[in-house]
Amino acid sequence: ITSDGSEYRNGSSLLDLVTGRPAPMIQELQDEYRNFMRGKENLDSFFENNKLLAYADVKYKIGSSTSRDFKFAISILNKDDGNTTSYDIKVPDSSVVDYIVVNDVQVVEKELKIITHNYTSENEKYFNEKHIYTLDISTGAISNNETIFSFPDQQGNTHIYADLIKTNHKQANEDLIFIKTQEKMIQDEESDMNAETSRELISYNIKTNDQKTIEFPENLKEHQISFFDGITIYFSNRSEQNLII
């Protein structure tokens, strides 16, 4: 979809339709950096600029009944000399983590920023959290672990969570945009359903750790939030046969 209109690409082969095709960015990276890309498929785990290609994911032991020994698996390709630096680093405070997934990767100056969703438990209390881990690229050490949000898993019949808005993985963004949503469980005789009670747009600066709330335009409150390009937030909505951007 561009400012000139939309285009529907339906050139997939029968084999592609059956097996599925990787995202265009993954396909491009596989074509250009085949050795580096082996075993790397999570689109949210990549960052690329004209100097480097970085990948950060989480691995853990399967079947452990207690701590799963979460570790960051990080690879950084230097485009100038073709060398790859890899790190396996224990996730800080992983003893309280039940589940962790990478939402985004950014590089600011000489630091790698890994934005994650963590599900944690301590003293039988459970939390949904957003974290940002800072890695010093030159030393391979994690220098900071900042909790952006932490919400109790359940507060009576109310549930609060935050989602990170997608960005361009080939563009550095100092600001991240989250949508914070509050839902309430409504029960009746026939069924239970979650009803949204509030939404907030929150900007988070990964250099200063400052947060600020962005005013939600009244005419866009029913729209889905699709993308953030560093300057503009893109909303979408369906109207009869049209997709409105």
PDB file of all heavy atoms in Angstrom, residues 44-70:
ATOM      1  N   ASP A  44      11.141 -10.333  13.944  1.00  0.00           N
ATOM      2  CA  ASP A  44      11.278  -9.319  14.990  1.00  0.00           C
ATOM      3  C   ASP A  44      12.671  -9.302  15.610  1.00  0.00           C
ATOM      4  O   ASP A  44      12.996  -8.373  16.354  1.00  0.00           O
ATOM      5  CB  ASP A  44      10.241  -9.553  16.090  1.00  0.00           C
ATOM      6  CG  ASP A  44       8.823  -9.342  15.606  1.00  0.00           C
ATOM      7  OD1 ASP A  44       8.633  -8.565  14.648  1.00  0.00           O
ATOM      8  OD2 ASP A  44       7.902  -9.954  16.169  1.00  0.00           O
ATOM      9  N   SER A  45      13.485 -10.309  15.350  1.00  0.00           N
ATOM     10  CA  SER A  45      14.800 -10.429  15.982  1.00  0.00           C
ATOM     11  C   SER A  45      15.915  -9.766  15.180  1.00  0.00           C
ATOM     12  O   SER A  45      17.071  -9.783  15.604  1.00  0.00           O
ATOM     13  CB  SER A  45      15.150 -11.910  16.195  1.00  0.00           C
ATOM     14  OG  SER A  45      14.318 -12.499  17.162  1.00  0.00           O
ATOM     15  N   PHE A  46      15.597  -9.172  14.023  1.00  0.00           N
ATOM     16  CA  PHE A  46      16.629  -8.605  13.150  1.00  0.00           C
ATOM     17  C   PHE A  46      16.718  -7.084  13.272  1.00  0.00           C
ATOM     18  O   PHE A  46      15.737  -6.394  13.522  1.00  0.00           O
ATOM     19  CB  PHE A  46      16.330  -8.941  11.685  1.00  0.00           C
ATOM     20  CG  PHE A  46      16.615 -10.361  11.307  1.00  0.00           C
ATOM     21  CD1 PHE A  46      15.588 -11.292  11.290  1.00  0.00           C
ATOM     22  CD2 PHE A  46      17.894 -10.776  10.978  1.00  0.00           C
ATOM     23  CE1 PHE A  46      15.827 -12.612  10.939  1.00  0.00           C
ATOM     24  CE2 PHE A  46      18.151 -12.089  10.632  1.00  0.00           C
ATOM     25  CZ  PHE A  46      17.120 -13.010  10.607  1.00  0.00           C
ATOM     26  N   PHE A  47      17.938  -6.603  13.054  1.00  0.00           N
ATOM     27  CA  PHE A  47      18.172  -5.174  12.818  1.00  0.00           C
ATOM     28  C   PHE A  47      19.257  -5.076  11.754  1.00  0.00           C
ATOM     29  O   PHE A  47      20.260  -5.789  11.797  1.00  0.00           O
ATOM     30  CB  PHE A  47      18.629  -4.437  14.072  1.00  0.00           C
ATOM     31  CG  PHE A  47      19.001  -2.998  13.799  1.00  0.00           C
ATOM     32  CD1 PHE A  47      18.036  -2.015  13.803  1.00  0.00           C
ATOM     33  CD2 PHE A  47      20.306  -2.640  13.490  1.00  0.00           C
ATOM     34  CE1 PHE A  47      18.352  -0.690  13.524  1.00  0.00           C
ATOM     35  CE2 PHE A  47      20.638  -1.317  13.204  1.00  0.00           C
ATOM     36  CZ  PHE A  47      19.658  -0.341  13.228  1.00  0.00           C
ATOM     37  N   GLU A  48      19.070  -4.154  10.814  1.00  0.00           N
ATOM     38  CA  GLU A  48      20.056  -3.991   9.749  1.00  0.00           C
ATOM     39  C   GLU A  48      20.249  -2.512   9.442  1.00  0.00           C
ATOM     40  O   GLU A  48      19.291  -1.743   9.379  1.00  0.00           O
ATOM     41  CB  GLU A  48      19.607  -4.718   8.473  1.00  0.00           C
ATOM     42  CG  GLU A  48      20.636  -4.659   7.357  1.00  0.00           C
ATOM     43  CD  GLU A  48      20.161  -5.327   6.069  1.00  0.00           C
ATOM     44  OE1 GLU A  48      18.950  -5.612   5.956  1.00  0.00           O
ATOM     45  OE2 GLU A  48      21.003  -5.554   5.175  1.00  0.00           O
ATOM     46  N   ASN A  49      21.521  -2.121   9.258  1.00  0.00           N
ATOM     47  CA  ASN A  49      21.835  -0.816   8.689  1.00  0.00           C
ATOM     48  C   ASN A  49      22.982  -1.004   7.697  1.00  0.00           C
ATOM     49  O   ASN A  49      23.302  -2.141   7.320  1.00  0.00           O
ATOM     50  CB  ASN A  49      22.146   0.223   9.783  1.00  0.00           C
ATOM     51  CG  ASN A  49      23.337  -0.173  10.652  1.00  0.00           C
ATOM     52  OD1 ASN A  49      24.190  -0.973  10.251  1.00  0.00           O
ATOM     53  ND2 ASN A  49      23.407   0.385  11.848  1.00  0.00           N
ATOM     54  N   ASN A  50      23.606   0.077   7.245  1.00  0.00           N
ATOM     55  CA  ASN A  50      24.633  -0.066   6.217  1.00  0.00           C
ATOM     56  C   ASN A  50      25.946  -0.622   6.749  1.00  0.00           C
ATOM     57  O   ASN A  50      26.846  -0.957   5.973  1.00  0.00           O
ATOM     58  CB  ASN A  50      24.880   1.284   5.525  1.00  0.00           C
ATOM     59  CG  ASN A  50      25.335   2.362   6.513  1.00  0.00           C
ATOM     60  OD1 ASN A  50      25.283   2.161   7.725  1.00  0.00           O
ATOM     61  ND2 ASN A  50      25.767   3.498   5.994  1.00  0.00           N
ATOM     62  N   LYS A  51      26.073  -0.762   8.080  1.00  0.00           N
ATOM     63  CA  LYS A  51      27.312  -1.268   8.663  1.00  0.00           C
ATOM     64  C   LYS A  51      27.206  -2.690   9.192  1.00  0.00           C
ATOM     65  O   LYS A  51      28.196  -3.434   9.179  1.00  0.00           O
ATOM     66  CB  LYS A  51      27.770  -0.342   9.801  1.00  0.00           C
ATOM     67  CG  LYS A  51      28.156   1.054   9.350  1.00  0.00           C
ATOM     68  CD  LYS A  51      28.636   1.887  10.531  1.00  0.00           C
ATOM     69  CE  LYS A  51      29.046   3.284  10.079  1.00  0.00           C
ATOM     70  NZ  LYS A  51      29.509   4.112  11.232  1.00  0.00           N
ATOM     71  N   LEU A  52      26.038  -3.073   9.671  1.00  0.00           N
ATOM     72  CA  LEU A  52      25.927  -4.374  10.310  1.00  0.00           C
ATOM     73  C   LEU A  52      24.540  -4.977  10.134  1.00  0.00           C
ATOM     74  O   LEU A  52      23.576  -4.291   9.799  1.00  0.00           O
ATOM     75  CB  LEU A  52      26.277  -4.281  11.801  1.00  0.00           C
ATOM     76  CG  LEU A  52      25.463  -3.317  12.689  1.00  0.00           C
ATOM     77  CD1 LEU A  52      24.167  -3.942  13.164  1.00  0.00           C
ATOM     78  CD2 LEU A  52      26.284  -2.901  13.907  1.00  0.00           C
ATOM     79  N   LEU A  53      24.491  -6.275  10.365  1.00  0.00           N
ATOM     80  CA  LEU A  53      23.245  -7.025  10.441  1.00  0.00           C
ATOM     81  C   LEU A  53      23.262  -7.756  11.777  1.00  0.00           C
ATOM     82  O   LEU A  53      24.192  -8.524  12.057  1.00  0.00           O
ATOM     83  CB  LEU A  53      23.137  -8.020   9.285  1.00  0.00           C
ATOM     84  CG  LEU A  53      21.959  -9.006   9.306  1.00  0.00           C
ATOM     85  CD1 LEU A  53      20.635  -8.266   9.273  1.00  0.00           C
ATOM     86  CD2 LEU A  53      22.060  -9.983   8.139  1.00  0.00           C
ATOM     87  N   ALA A  54      22.268  -7.491  12.617  1.00  0.00           N
ATOM     88  CA  ALA A  54      22.237  -8.068  13.969  1.00  0.00           C
ATOM     89  C   ALA A  54      21.012  -8.943  14.142  1.00  0.00           C
ATOM     90  O   ALA A  54      19.948  -8.668  13.581  1.00  0.00           O
ATOM     91  CB  ALA A  54      22.249  -6.950  15.018  1.00  0.00           C
ATOM     92  N   TYR A  55      21.188  -9.996  14.940  1.00  0.00           N
ATOM     93  CA  TYR A  55      20.092 -10.911  15.251  1.00  0.00           C
ATOM     94  C   TYR A  55      20.166 -11.273  16.727  1.00  0.00           C
ATOM     95  O   TYR A  55      21.246 -11.604  17.242  1.00  0.00           O
ATOM     96  CB  TYR A  55      20.201 -12.180  14.405  1.00  0.00           C
ATOM     97  CG  TYR A  55      19.064 -13.165  14.607  1.00  0.00           C
ATOM     98  CD1 TYR A  55      17.874 -13.023  13.901  1.00  0.00           C
ATOM     99  CD2 TYR A  55      19.183 -14.238  15.483  1.00  0.00           C
ATOM    100  CE1 TYR A  55      16.828 -13.929  14.064  1.00  0.00           C
ATOM    101  CE2 TYR A  55      18.140 -15.143  15.650  1.00  0.00           C
ATOM    102  CZ  TYR A  55      16.966 -14.989  14.936  1.00  0.00           C
ATOM    103  OH  TYR A  55      15.940 -15.878  15.096  1.00  0.00           O
ATOM    104  N   ALA A  56      19.039 -11.195  17.417  1.00  0.00           N
ATOM    105  CA  ALA A  56      18.991 -11.552  18.836  1.00  0.00           C
ATOM    106  C   ALA A  56      17.728 -12.344  19.100  1.00  0.00           C
ATOM    107  O   ALA A  56      16.624 -11.881  18.813  1.00  0.00           O
ATOM    108  CB  ALA A  56      19.026 -10.298  19.717  1.00  0.00           C
ATOM    109  N   ASP A  57      17.896 -13.548  19.632  1.00  0.00           N
ATOM    110  CA  ASP A  57      16.754 -14.383  19.984  1.00  0.00           C
ATOM    111  C   ASP A  57      17.014 -14.998  21.348  1.00  0.00           C
ATOM    112  O   ASP A  57      18.090 -14.808  21.937  1.00  0.00           O
ATOM    113  CB  ASP A  57      16.521 -15.461  18.928  1.00  0.00           C
ATOM    114  CG  ASP A  57      15.054 -15.857  18.813  1.00  0.00           C
ATOM    115  OD1 ASP A  57      14.261 -15.487  19.710  1.00  0.00           O
ATOM    116  OD2 ASP A  57      14.697 -16.544  17.844  1.00  0.00           O
ATOM    117  N   VAL A  58      16.044 -15.748  21.850  1.00  0.00           N
ATOM    118  CA  VAL A  58      16.162 -16.365  23.169  1.00  0.00           C
ATOM    119  C   VAL A  58      16.103 -17.881  23.013  1.00  0.00           C
ATOM    120  O   VAL A  58      15.264 -18.402  22.280  1.00  0.00           O
ATOM    121  CB  VAL A  58      15.029 -15.898  24.111  1.00  0.00           C
ATOM    122  CG1 VAL A  58      15.118 -16.613  25.456  1.00  0.00           C
ATOM    123  CG2 VAL A  58      15.102 -14.394  24.309  1.00  0.00           C
ATOM    124  N   LYS A  59      17.010 -18.566  23.680  1.00  0.00           N
ATOM    125  CA  LYS A  59      16.948 -20.028  23.714  1.00  0.00           C
ATOM    126  C   LYS A  59      16.910 -20.473  25.175  1.00  0.00           C
ATOM    127  O   LYS A  59      17.343 -19.750  26.081  1.00  0.00           O
ATOM    128  CB  LYS A  59      18.138 -20.649  22.985  1.00  0.00           C
ATOM    129  CG  LYS A  59      19.499 -20.312  23.546  1.00  0.00           C
ATOM    130  CD  LYS A  59      20.598 -20.958  22.704  1.00  0.00           C
ATOM    131  CE  LYS A  59      21.976 -20.686  23.280  1.00  0.00           C
ATOM    132  NZ  LYS A  59      23.042 -21.320  22.467  1.00  0.00           N
ATOM    133  N   TYR A  60      16.390 -21.684  25.390  1.00  0.00           N
ATOM    134  CA  TYR A  60      16.245 -22.170  26.756  1.00  0.00           C
ATOM    135  C   TYR A  60      16.183 -23.688  26.744  1.00  0.00           C
ATOM    136  O   TYR A  60      15.963 -24.319  25.696  1.00  0.00           O
ATOM    137  CB  TYR A  60      14.984 -21.589  27.416  1.00  0.00           C
ATOM    138  CG  TYR A  60      13.701 -21.895  26.679  1.00  0.00           C
ATOM    139  CD1 TYR A  60      12.944 -23.027  26.992  1.00  0.00           C
ATOM    140  CD2 TYR A  60      13.244 -21.055  25.668  1.00  0.00           C
ATOM    141  CE1 TYR A  60      11.779 -23.314  26.314  1.00  0.00           C
ATOM    142  CE2 TYR A  60      12.073 -21.337  24.985  1.00  0.00           C
ATOM    143  CZ  TYR A  60      11.350 -22.461  25.314  1.00  0.00           C
ATOM    144  OH  TYR A  60      10.189 -22.742  24.635  1.00  0.00           O
ATOM    145  N   LYS A  61      16.368 -24.263  27.914  1.00  0.00           N
ATOM    146  CA  LYS A  61      16.292 -25.710  28.051  1.00  0.00           C
ATOM    147  C   LYS A  61      14.838 -26.147  28.032  1.00  0.00           C
ATOM    148  O   LYS A  61      13.981 -25.530  28.648  1.00  0.00           O
ATOM    149  CB  LYS A  61      16.941 -26.149  29.369  1.00  0.00           C
ATOM    150  CG  LYS A  61      18.447 -25.945  29.413  1.00  0.00           C
ATOM    151  CD  LYS A  61      19.010 -26.401  30.754  1.00  0.00           C
ATOM    152  CE  LYS A  61      20.521 -26.205  30.813  1.00  0.00           C
ATOM    153  NZ  LYS A  61      21.072 -26.607  32.131  1.00  0.00           N
ATOM    154  N   ILE A  62      14.566 -27.216  27.327  1.00  0.00           N
ATOM    155  CA  ILE A  62      13.210 -27.750  27.231  1.00  0.00           C
ATOM    156  C   ILE A  62      13.033 -28.873  28.248  1.00  0.00           C
ATOM    157  O   ILE A  62      13.903 -29.730  28.406  1.00  0.00           O
ATOM    158  CB  ILE A  62      12.926 -28.272  25.811  1.00  0.00           C
ATOM    159  CG1 ILE A  62      13.027 -27.126  24.816  1.00  0.00           C
ATOM    160  CG2 ILE A  62      11.557 -28.942  25.742  1.00  0.00           C
ATOM    161  CD1 ILE A  62      12.867 -27.557  23.375  1.00  0.00           C
ATOM    162  N   GLY A  63      11.907 -28.837  28.962  1.00  0.00           N
ATOM    163  CA  GLY A  63      11.582 -29.921  29.871  1.00  0.00           C
ATOM    164  C   GLY A  63      12.003 -29.693  31.303  1.00  0.00           C
ATOM    165  O   GLY A  63      11.713 -30.513  32.170  1.00  0.00           O
ATOM    166  N   SER A  64      12.666 -28.590  31.581  1.00  0.00           N
ATOM    167  CA  SER A  64      13.060 -28.303  32.961  1.00  0.00           C
ATOM    168  C   SER A  64      11.845 -27.854  33.748  1.00  0.00           C
ATOM    169  O   SER A  64      11.059 -27.023  33.293  1.00  0.00           O
ATOM    170  CB  SER A  64      14.137 -27.210  32.986  1.00  0.00           C
ATOM    171  OG  SER A  64      14.423 -26.826  34.313  1.00  0.00           O
ATOM    172  N   SER A  65      11.677 -28.382  34.945  1.00  0.00           N
ATOM    173  CA  SER A  65      10.492 -28.055  35.745  1.00  0.00           C
ATOM    174  C   SER A  65      10.674 -26.757  36.516  1.00  0.00           C
ATOM    175  O   SER A  65       9.723 -26.185  37.009  1.00  0.00           O
ATOM    176  CB  SER A  65      10.194 -29.197  36.723  1.00  0.00           C
ATOM    177  OG  SER A  65      11.300 -29.409  37.591  1.00  0.00           O
ATOM    178  N   THR A  66      11.904 -26.287  36.640  1.00  0.00           N
ATOM    179  CA  THR A  66      12.146 -25.031  37.347  1.00  0.00           C
ATOM    180  C   THR A  66      12.652 -23.985  36.355  1.00  0.00           C
ATOM    181  O   THR A  66      12.009 -23.742  35.346  1.00  0.00           O
ATOM    182  CB  THR A  66      13.148 -25.265  38.490  1.00  0.00           C
ATOM    183  OG1 THR A  66      14.347 -25.860  37.951  1.00  0.00           O
ATOM    184  CG2 THR A  66      12.564 -26.218  39.533  1.00  0.00           C
ATOM    185  N   SER A  67      13.776 -23.353  36.646  1.00  0.00           N
ATOM    186  CA  SER A  67      14.324 -22.347  35.748  1.00  0.00           C
ATOM    187  C   SER A  67      14.712 -22.982  34.416  1.00  0.00           C
ATOM    188  O   SER A  67      15.295 -24.066  34.373  1.00  0.00           O
ATOM    189  CB  SER A  67      15.550 -21.679  36.383  1.00  0.00           C
ATOM    190  OG  SER A  67      16.179 -20.820  35.453  1.00  0.00           O
ATOM    191  N   ARG A  68      14.375 -22.312  33.313  1.00  0.00           N
ATOM    192  CA  ARG A  68      14.660 -22.858  31.992  1.00  0.00           C
ATOM    193  C   ARG A  68      16.015 -22.392  31.450  1.00  0.00           C
ATOM    194  O   ARG A  68      16.328 -22.634  30.293  1.00  0.00           O
ATOM    195  CB  ARG A  68      13.545 -22.485  31.028  1.00  0.00           C
ATOM    196  CG  ARG A  68      12.204 -23.088  31.410  1.00  0.00           C
ATOM    197  CD  ARG A  68      11.186 -22.864  30.322  1.00  0.00           C
ATOM    198  NE  ARG A  68       9.889 -23.426  30.664  1.00  0.00           N
ATOM    199  CZ  ARG A  68       8.820 -23.370  29.881  1.00  0.00           C
ATOM    200  NH1 ARG A  68       8.895 -22.780  28.713  1.00  0.00           N
ATOM    201  NH2 ARG A  68       7.683 -23.907  30.257  1.00  0.00           N
ATOM    202  N   ASP A  69      16.791 -21.686  32.248  1.00  0.00           N
ATOM    203  CA  ASP A  69      18.121 -21.251  31.834  1.00  0.00           C
ATOM    204  C   ASP A  69      18.049 -20.440  30.535  1.00  0.00           C
ATOM    205  O   ASP A  69      18.666 -20.777  29.527  1.00  0.00           O
ATOM    206  CB  ASP A  69      19.040 -22.458  31.667  1.00  0.00           C
ATOM    207  CG  ASP A  69      20.505 -22.050  31.510  1.00  0.00           C
ATOM    208  OD1 ASP A  69      20.864 -20.960  31.987  1.00  0.00           O
ATOM    209  OD2 ASP A  69      21.269 -22.806  30.892  1.00  0.00           O
ATOM    210  N   PHE A  70      17.262 -19.356  30.564  1.00  0.00           N
ATOM    211  CA  PHE A  70      17.108 -18.511  29.381  1.00  0.00           C
ATOM    212  C   PHE A  70      18.415 -17.823  29.026  1.00  0.00           C
ATOM    213  O   PHE A  70      19.097 -17.265  29.892  1.00  0.00           O
ATOM    214  CB  PHE A  70      16.032 -17.447  29.629  1.00  0.00           C
ATOM    215  CG  PHE A  70      14.639 -18.000  29.732  1.00  0.00           C
ATOM    216  CD1 PHE A  70      14.058 -18.235  30.962  1.00  0.00           C
ATOM    217  CD2 PHE A  70      13.912 -18.294  28.590  1.00  0.00           C
ATOM    218  CE1 PHE A  70      12.770 -18.745  31.064  1.00  0.00           C
ATOM    219  CE2 PHE A  70      12.619 -18.796  28.676  1.00  0.00           C
ATOM    220  CZ  PHE A  70      12.048 -19.023  29.915  1.00  0.00           C
TER     221      PHE A  70
END
